[in-house]
Amino acid sequence: MKTLIVEDDFTSRLFLQKMLAPFGETHVAVNGREAIAAFVASFETQEPYDLICLDIMMPEMDGQTALKEIRRLEEERGVLVGLGAKIIMTTALRDKENIMTSFRELCDGYLVKPYSKEKLLEFLRAFGFIQIPAGGGSAGTA
């Protein structure tokens, strides 16, 4: 699993990197502009991201704008809806407007900070990226 973590807060970046590193390669962008550049570069090298964790409140370009642009770029490249990167909004914003906007722009999940490792792993399992053994235990790669 190749992951792009888009987060301007250092502590949040570290948390996500620590949680996601056991499942594959992780890259980091600190704002939406860097995220778009990384996303485009991943397509140019024919190694697109499987998962993008995207904060909303960031400098230079916010996560809502980046989400919209990523989905536009996927469509432009012929990626069918639902077959592109899985995008989880990872944000402190819990208002209905941001949640609805995110899903309208085709995010795949929405996690409100502070979120738990377990909730993040639930999304990874639902997306088919990992398998969590029945009865708990540690998560393994798919």
Side-chain angles (χ1 to χ4, degrees):
M1 176 176 75
K2 183 177 176 183
T3 303
L4 177 61
I5 298 166
V6 187
E7 174 64 66
D8 64 324
D9 178 70
F10 180 77
T11 303
S12 295
R13 278 195 309 269
L14 284 180
F15 173 79
L16 287 168
Q17 283 180 295
K18 184 176 181 178
M19 295 303 106
L20 296 168
F23 307 111
E25 185 177 354
T26 61
H27 296 173
V28 173
V30 298
N31 60 55
R33 289 197 195 288
E34 283 188 9
I36 299 303
F39 181 80
V40 169
S42 76
F43 262 93
E44 289 173 355
T45 60
Q46 298 181 349
E47 297 177 357
Y49 289 102
D50 301 302
L51 175 68
I52 300 173
C53 294
L54 185 58
D55 187 19
I56 292 178
M57 296 185 298
M58 295 182 294
E60 294 191 42
M61 180 189 287
D62 66 70
Q64 296 288 14
T65 303
L67 171 62
K68 188 174 186 174
E69 181 65 7
I70 287 167
R71 293 304 191 209
R72 186 192 69 74
L73 288 166
E74 286 180 334
E75 182 180 2
E76 186 178 274
R77 287 162 173 75
V79 176
L80 299 175
V81 172
L83 298 180
K86 297 296 183 193
I87 300 178
I88 302 173
M89 306 308 282
T90 53
T91 181
L93 300 175
R94 60 178 65 236
D95 62 285
K96 185 177 179 180
E97 182 178 334
N98 271 294
I99 294 169
M100 295 304 292
T101 298
S102 296
F103 282 104
R104 234 186 341 268
E105 295 299 335
L106 304 176
C107 80
D108 298 286
Y110 199 97
L111 282 175
V112 177
K113 296 175 188 175
Y115 45 83
S116 67
K117 174 183 177 181
E118 291 74 27
K119 190 66 179 167
L120 180 61
L121 293 177
E122 282 178 32
F123 276 113
L124 298 184
R125 186 173 60 81
F127 298 152
F129 293 143
I130 65 170
Q131 295 175 352
I132 299 175
S138 62
T141 57

